[in-house]
Amino acid sequence: MKLRRTMLFMPGNNPGMLQRAGVFGADSVIFDLEDAVNPAEKDAARVLVRNALQTFRYEMLETVVRINSFSGGACGEADVHEIARAKPAAIMLPKAAGQEVKILAGLLDQIEKEEGLPGGSIKIFPLVETAYGLVHIDAIISSSPRITGILLGAEDLTADLGIKRTKSGEEIFYARCQVVTACKAAGIDAIDTPFADANDPEGLKNDTLKAKSLGMTGKAAINPRQIDTIHEVLAPDEAEIKYAQRVIRAMQEAGKEGKGVVALDGKMIDAPILARARNTWEKAKQAGIRSGSYEEYSR
């Protein structure tokens, strides 16, 4: 299990931010060559991010680079040729569509071969932020085995739909559900859209709780101050952990008796609920809330 609770956006043209990327505590960082960079600075930002990836040690930090779209001229392809050779963990593709994912995957195949990198080592993270992308999300996910997750981009999506983006988020309820369902079916991460107001921690908490309740596995952040709140909300709480412990113990006792199901608090517990309990325990372990494996705990 890869812990990907937070993905922190950072402008690719800010040397200070690139250098300090590893100190903020995010699970992943997205070096942005698209929206955060003025068109006149695209070439310089591309080189800056490449040099940062080759120079700084981002230990325990997943490095993702958001490139420019292939439909916006040659900039996107130039991004890939420059950045992929510096071996980021993943390339994020904006306004993703299946055909563009295939183009990106083909470029990565070529670069990995030229650089002597293991095939498929650089992952792809499509950004679903258009009506077309949302409708065709299954085709996007199935277009390459490199895909490791989907990020929902609500700002661009609501603009494409011609509707108002609100803090309450009712307007993206369907989009969130669509992304979660498609990602769960494919066994990849579903990352929620950023909360745009960095000065509203309560709003961020409520928005993250909504995302968690729908099954989002992580959330993008636009400011380092948002990281702790997101981690706190997405981590299993004490009640969830204790229930997971009880489920694991109950199922292990049932297994000793040759049973596949068992009643706990008057409710039937079977294999899917056990899998959820183990997942909760593993998340708690990776978040530093618990230590050891569930097998060790149950002894």
Side-chain angles (χ1 to χ4, degrees), residues 113-142:
K113 186 175 181 180
E114 292 173 354
E115 297 294 323
L117 301 173
S121 58
I122 301 174
K123 303 304 180 183
I124 295 176
F125 223 107
L127 183 50
V128 171
E129 52 185 345
T130 65
Y132 183 89
L134 190 63
V135 170
H136 294 90
I137 189 169
D138 290 332
I140 291 172
I141 292 173
S142 63

Side-chain angles (χ1 to χ4, degrees), residues 155 167 194-204 222-223 225-226:
E155 301 299 330
K167 284 190 176 183
F195 184 74
D197 189 348
N199 296 314
D200 183 4
E202 192 63 27
L204 171 65
I222 59 170
N223 190 294
R225 297 198 308 270
Q226 297 179 320

Side-chain angles (χ1 to χ4, degrees), residues 14 25 37 67 74 83 88 122 154 160 164 171 189 238 252 263 278 289:
N14 188 320
V37 179
I67 63 171
I83 296 300
I122 301 174
D160 192 35
K164 184 179 180 181
E171 70 282 356
D189 277 339
E238 193 64 25
Q252 289 187 333
R278 286 174 169 171
I289 302 172

Side-chain angles (χ1 to χ4, degrees), residues 2-35:
K2 163 66 182 172
L3 193 63
R4 197 183 273 136
R5 301 161 296 178
T6 44
M7 301 186 77
L8 175 64
F9 276 99
M10 285 189 164
N13 59 347
N14 188 320
M17 292 289 283
L18 296 180
Q19 186 173 4
R20 293 182 291 123
V23 306
F24 298 116
D27 296 319
S28 305
V29 64
I30 304 168
F31 297 136
D32 191 7
L33 297 176
E34 194 206 20
D35 288 347

